[in-house]
Amino acid sequence: MSLPDAPLRYELMKVDAVTGARLGRVTTRHGAFDTPAFMPVGTQGTIKGVLPDHVAATGSQIILGNTYHLMLRPGEKVVAALGGLHRFMSWPGPILTDSGGFQVFSLADINRITDEGVTFKSHVDGSVVHLTPQRSISVQNDLGADIIMSFDECPRADAPREYQRAAVARTLRWARLCLEAHHRPQEQALFGIVQGGTDLALRDECARTLIDLDFPGYAVGGLAVGEGFEATRAVLASVTPTLPVQKPRYLMGVGFPRDIVMAVAAGIDMFDCVLPTRNGRNAYAFTASGAIRLRNSRFTSDSGPIEDGCDCYACRTFTRGTIRHYFFAAEMLGPILVSLHNIRFFQRLMGDIRRAIGEGTFDRWRRSDPRAAMGPSSAEVAAASAVEPSDAPRAPMETREEPS
Amino acid sequence: MSLPDAPLRYELMKVDAVTGARLGRVTTRHGAFDTPAFMPVGTQGTIKGVLPDHVAATGSQIILGNTYHLMLRPGEKVVAALGGLHRFMSWPGPILTDSGGFQVFSLADINRITDEGVTFKSHVDGSVVHLTPQRSISVQNDLGADIIMSFDECPRADAPREYQRAAVARTLRWARLCLEAHHRPQEQALFGIVQGGTDLALRDECARTLIDLDFPGYAVGGLAVGEGFEATRAVLASVTPTLPVQKPRYLMGVGFPRDIVMAVAAGIDMFDCVLPTRNGRNAYAFTASGAIRLRNSRFTSDSGPIEDGCDCYACRTFTRGTIRHYFFAAEMLGPILVSLHNIRFFQRLMGDIRRAIGEGTFDRWRRSDPRAAMGPSSAEVAAASAVEPSDAPRAPMETREEPS
């Protein structure tokens, strides 16, 4: 399929009869991906510990890179000189970069926020960095991802209503500046981001203004930051019906299988989360019967795979006992193998979601498949029960990127 | 080829007309390997950071595991319960385990050495461990490698002559005990180890006594421990002509390409060394034109592969610029990719050595190929010139295993 002028084409194949779930396909200049899609996070130009051929083997069709991290190190000009982010990280398929907004607001040592942008200290060398909508787009133009994101303000979930209003105003002002600053609109699709916290009226106002600006796709930001599952669901139920049917919709930074299934039912097409890789590095493995922590002593001589029936490289190749040993011996293969399994777990979940939508059985599927209920509590309960006093301290289940 | 009673069969294909270089093939119950062979080191049940499919893709046909590390963690009984070392590390091909002797004498906190064995403190948990010839063989029987090694005493290179004599006497006493203790002689080939420092008469005495004991293969130990290149050459020139022609010969813990080429010329068939992986983790890459350190700032925007013309996964897939970034960002892919390249560098070297012996051109080849001269000094000079004051401190080129 040719893309003469557009950087992206979205095909809606099917809408579920019971829920708002959508089966679709997004085509970019670096290939296509099926939706609903899960994007593994390649913060610093790599899915941590997983070589690109193994990432592809998990069924991942699109991956995410972090503008904040890449602009600080090695710098977007270095990435551009090395041929752009696709060549840099040796991922020939579709890539999405975020705007840096989320990391700046959640991770950086912020000096100042104005209507022009944000001033913060680099976590790499302590230097003072100024990030504006124009700079975010310029960096993303240099990185060259297929989908790029508007620079938005991401307030805390508990920010007062007046702050949320001001943040939305700023996000909308910045969205216009991002559109103006975008120098590669034929090659890179710039998505707008709906903010507004849990205030449905504010969300609606933000969404409608962005829709008038005619972005090729829309994201819902500022969720999964502590507002709770029901609040997230209420926001999505309110926002997604407003968004254009013929454009892809992306829920940023989400999440647990339960959250993804709920958001798919609300009509979301794209997801990203560090859960599979971050928790994989902490020896937490996702399985259909719950999360397990492979450091647990009950796995010492366990000759089974991480998850029965899983077709990933880790499960086909190594026993739980060996992987447990790798974690205790601080061997890289521990984090590598569990990250790889967890990404495959998420991609199998997405494949099953797409299949169910295609077959018209999504609503039944989500009520019967145990994975559709896996959230932080069930995962943590499983993980906690798997940890004994003699084991190393348990790291919490985390969903956000780290600063370095 | 069936191996009705023997755990190992060595076929000598060709002896070089000018040097003592030998082209051969060793067949074990887990497959065959061509000699001269280089064995990457899988200390704790993994070639650090490199998944088995990538290890195999480097052309490695046999790998080495460390008895000392595996007996302390996870313990040989755990490895046996998980199906033995082949299954444990998912390496279906030939494996060799050392005896633990070298690590005990070089790494451990030794309490006592007697004619019965060595008492030392575990680096894992501080517990007191007693390692004897019987225990070393019992552990190696449980691990189940195709080739196992006698428990020997490895004195320092500068140990006085009397100490070397006593160590050889102990090594010979222990060699007999190892033969008696070996419970799987039909499946695992137990090699004897020639010690004796740089004392050629002592080496000769040790070799002849071991030959009378009729081991299926012989190793030369206690070299590359600081005695110098010429001393190593002198020992090999003296020892190897004594060893049986129809049995494989293994030079333990060696080494740089220069050392390997010299030892091949002296008639050695097998090598192991941590150089490719350890130096890979420190960002040192071997190339035909010398070692380079990928942290160097001159590689920041270098879009070439680690080594021009190399066919390894790292060189086919990533630029020097990206790999440099991975090291500065502390991403696992840096150590992984350079380890992988370095192993492939060593295997290409071994392949070229075997080809040259087969074609009768080994002596000409070793005089013309620049790799045949690569030793610690040339590698360090190249590495030093590649490091600038602003870069991180330079780690030395090391050839020995670390304790954990």
Side-chain angles (χ1 to χ4, degrees):
Chain A
M1 188 186 69
S2 67
L3 295 162
D5 293 317
L8 174 148
R9 177 168 147 183
Y10 172 71
E11 299 165 84
L12 177 60
M13 266 86 147
K14 185 162 184 177
V15 179
D16 187 52
V18 183
T19 71
R22 293 145 51 99
L23 183 69
R25 191 170 172 82
V26 174
T27 304
T28 74
R29 292 182 173 260
H30 288 90
F33 58 93
D34 300 305
T35 59
F38 180 83
M39 303 181 279
V41 177
T43 303
Q44 302 193 108
T46 149
I47 312 294
K48 288 186 189 298
V50 189
L51 291 167
D53 58 346
H54 278 128
V55 176
T58 63
S60 302
Q61 296 175 307
I62 172 171
I63 60 177
L64 180 145
N66 285 127
T67 291
Y68 168 83
H69 290 92
L70 292 167
M71 70 178 276
L72 296 183
R73 184 172 55 199
E76 71 277 11
K77 297 300 180 194
V78 169
V79 175
L82 289 166
L85 190 55
H86 295 83
R87 176 77 192 98
F88 182 75
M89 61 193 301
S90 198
W91 180 261
I95 301 178
L96 179 148
T97 47
D98 63 10
S99 69
F102 176 76
Q103 280 75 24
V104 167
F105 286 100
S106 62
L107 303 174
D109 181 3
I110 293 184
N111 296 49
R112 203 159 47 98
I113 307 173
T114 70
D115 283 351
E116 276 61 56
V118 185
T119 306
F120 62 97
K121 271 195 191 153
S122 161
H123 75 271
V124 173
D125 61 7
S127 64
V128 173
V129 183
H130 197 55
L131 190 58
T132 62
Q134 295 87 345
R135 174 103 166 87
S136 170
I137 297 300
S138 168
V139 171
Q140 293 186 80
N141 283 166
D142 278 335
L143 296 175
D146 303 283
I147 300 175
I148 65 177
M149 302 302 298
S150 284
F151 186 67
D152 57 337
E153 177 164 3
C154 311
R156 299 162 50 111
D158 58 359
R161 186 177 151 78
E162 313 82 68
Y163 196 93
Q164 290 282 4
R165 287 207 76 81
V168 164
R170 207 170 258 154
T171 291
L172 291 171
R173 171 188 160 87
W174 290 354
R176 291 185 185 90
L177 294 172
C178 285
L179 278 171
E180 287 170 21
H182 187 17
H183 288 307
R184 301 175 66 181
Q186 273 83 45
E187 299 155 88
Q188 300 177 287
L190 172 62
F191 280 24
I193 304 176
V194 179
Q195 289 287 355
T198 55
D199 182 329
L200 301 185
L202 197 54
R203 285 274 178 185
D204 189 63
E205 181 192 324
C206 186
R208 289 181 191 281
T209 309
L210 290 171
I211 291 164
D212 286 344
L213 294 173
D214 197 24
F215 285 89
Y218 292 94
V220 183
L223 291 177
V225 292
E227 76 284 356
F229 180 76
E230 288 306 329
T232 307
R233 172 158 37 198
V235 169
L236 291 179
S238 169
V239 170
T240 48
T242 312
L243 298 174
V245 170
Q246 293 299 337
K247 292 180 177 178
R249 304 150 173 185
Y250 164 29
L251 176 56
M252 304 182 77
V254 171
F256 282 95
R258 178 196 67 166
D259 307 325
I260 291 174
V261 171
M262 173 272 283
V264 165
I268 295 290
D269 306 305
M270 298 166 60
F271 301 89
D272 79 284
C273 195
V274 297
L275 262 180
T277 43
R278 167 162 302 176
N279 288 325
R281 294 198 299 283
N282 289 332
Y284 282 100
F286 285 88
T287 81
S289 47
I292 58 175
R293 190 161 200 238
L294 286 159
R295 282 179 171 271
N296 191 290
S297 60
R298 71 188 162 107
F299 299 128
T300 303
S301 300
D302 189 330
S303 62
I306 298 175
E307 182 178 15
D308 283 325
C310 178
D311 59 357
C312 84
Y313 177 82
C315 288
R316 283 186 285 112
T317 312
F318 287 96
T319 67
R320 288 171 164 180
T322 293
I323 295 171
R324 177 179 188 272
H325 163 69
Y326 288 159
F327 276 100
F328 277 90
E331 284 287 353
M332 281 183 273
L333 257 56
I336 290 170
L337 290 167
V338 185
S339 296
L340 209 158
H341 166 78
N342 283 348
I343 298 173
R344 179 63 189 145
F345 175 90
F346 273 70
Q347 298 300 358
R348 277 193 284 115
L349 176 73
M350 302 313 292
D352 290 346
I353 288 173
R354 291 192 297 266
R355 193 172 306 115
I357 301 172
E359 294 171 353
T361 58
F362 175 72
D363 190 50
R364 196 173 70 213
W365 172 86
R366 70 170 171 157
R367 292 170 197 282
S368 61
D369 194 298
R371 292 172 297 172
M374 280 184 72
S377 56
S378 60
E380 281 198 328
V381 168
S385 71
V387 174
E388 283 143 37
S390 64
D391 285 342
R394 183 167 63 92
M397 297 287 271
E398 293 173 72
T399 60
R400 295 299 189 178
E401 299 87 351
E402 69 261 68
S404 70
Chain B
M1 188 187 67
S2 66
L3 294 162
D5 293 316
L8 174 148
R9 177 169 149 182
Y10 173 71
E11 300 165 83
L12 176 60
M13 265 86 148
K14 186 164 184 175
V15 178
D16 187 52
V18 182
T19 71
R22 295 147 48 101
L23 183 70
R25 190 170 172 82
V26 173
T27 304
T28 75
R29 293 184 173 258
H30 287 90
F33 59 92
D34 300 303
T35 59
F38 179 82
M39 303 182 277
V41 177
T43 301
Q44 303 193 105
T46 149
I47 312 295
K48 288 185 189 297
V50 188
L51 291 166
D53 58 346
H54 279 127
V55 175
T58 63
S60 302
Q61 297 174 306
I62 173 171
I63 61 177
L64 180 145
N66 286 126
T67 291
Y68 168 84
H69 290 91
L70 291 167
M71 70 177 275
L72 295 184
R73 185 173 54 198
E76 71 277 12
K77 297 299 180 195
V78 169
V79 175
L82 289 167
L85 190 55
H86 295 84
R87 176 78 192 99
F88 182 76
M89 61 192 301
S90 198
W91 180 263
I95 301 178
L96 179 149
T97 47
D98 62 9
S99 68
F102 177 77
Q103 280 75 25
V104 167
F105 286 100
S106 63
L107 302 174
D109 181 2
I110 293 185
N111 296 49
R112 200 160 49 100
I113 306 173
T114 70
D115 282 351
E116 276 61 57
V118 185
T119 306
F120 62 96
K121 272 198 191 150
S122 160
H123 75 271
V124 172
D125 62 6
S127 64
V128 173
V129 183
H130 196 56
L131 191 57
T132 61
Q134 294 87 344
R135 173 103 167 89
S136 170
I137 296 301
S138 167
V139 172
Q140 293 185 80
N141 282 166
D142 278 335
L143 296 175
D146 302 284
I147 300 175
I148 65 177
M149 303 301 298
S150 284
F151 187 67
D152 57 338
E153 176 164 5
C154 310
R156 299 162 50 111
D158 58 0
R161 186 179 151 76
E162 312 82 70
Y163 195 94
Q164 291 283 5
R165 288 207 75 83
V168 164
R170 206 169 259 153
T171 292
L172 291 172
R173 170 188 163 85
W174 290 354
R176 290 185 186 91
L177 294 172
C178 286
L179 278 172
E180 288 170 20
H182 186 18
H183 288 307
R184 300 175 66 183
Q186 272 83 44
E187 300 155 88
Q188 301 178 285
L190 171 63
F191 280 24
I193 304 177
V194 180
Q195 289 285 356
T198 54
D199 183 328
L200 301 186
L202 197 53
R203 286 274 179 187
D204 188 63
E205 181 191 325
C206 186
R208 290 184 191 279
T209 309
L210 290 171
I211 291 163
D212 286 343
L213 294 173
D214 195 26
F215 286 89
Y218 291 93
V220 183
L223 291 177
V225 292
E227 75 284 357
F229 180 78
E230 289 307 328
T232 306
R233 175 163 29 204
V235 169
L236 292 179
S238 169
V239 169
T240 47
T242 312
L243 298 174
V245 170
Q246 294 300 337
K247 293 182 178 179
R249 304 148 174 187
Y250 163 30
L251 176 56
M252 303 183 77
V254 171
F256 282 95
R258 176 196 68 166
D259 307 324
I260 290 175
V261 171
M262 174 271 283
V264 165
I268 295 289
D269 306 305
M270 298 166 59
F271 302 89
D272 78 284
C273 196
V274 296
L275 262 180
T277 43
R278 169 164 299 175
N279 288 324
R281 292 199 300 283
N282 288 332
Y284 283 98
F286 285 88
T287 81
S289 47
I292 59 175
R293 190 163 199 234
L294 286 159
R295 283 178 170 271
N296 192 290
S297 59
R298 71 188 162 106
F299 300 127
T300 303
S301 301
D302 189 331
S303 61
I306 298 175
E307 180 177 18
D308 283 325
C310 178
D311 59 358
C312 83
Y313 177 82
C315 288
R316 284 186 285 112
T317 312
F318 287 97
T319 66
R320 288 171 164 179
T322 293
I323 295 171
R324 177 180 189 271
H325 163 68
Y326 288 158
F327 276 100
F328 277 90
E331 285 287 353
M332 281 183 272
L333 258 55
I336 290 170
L337 290 167
V338 185
S339 296
L340 209 157
H341 165 77
N342 283 349
I343 297 172
R344 179 62 189 145
F345 176 90
F346 273 69
Q347 299 300 359
R348 278 193 284 114
L349 176 74
M350 302 314 292
D352 290 346
I353 287 172
R354 291 192 297 264
R355 194 172 306 113
I357 300 172
E359 294 170 354
T361 57
F362 175 72
D363 190 51
R364 196 171 71 212
W365 173 87
R366 69 171 171 157
R367 291 170 197 283
S368 61
D369 194 300
R371 292 172 298 173
M374 281 184 73
S377 55
S378 61
E380 283 199 326
V381 167
S385 71
V387 173
E388 283 143 39
S390 64
D391 284 344
R394 182 167 64 90
M397 298 288 270
E398 292 171 73
T399 61
R400 293 298 187 180
E401 299 87 353
E402 68 262 68
S404 69

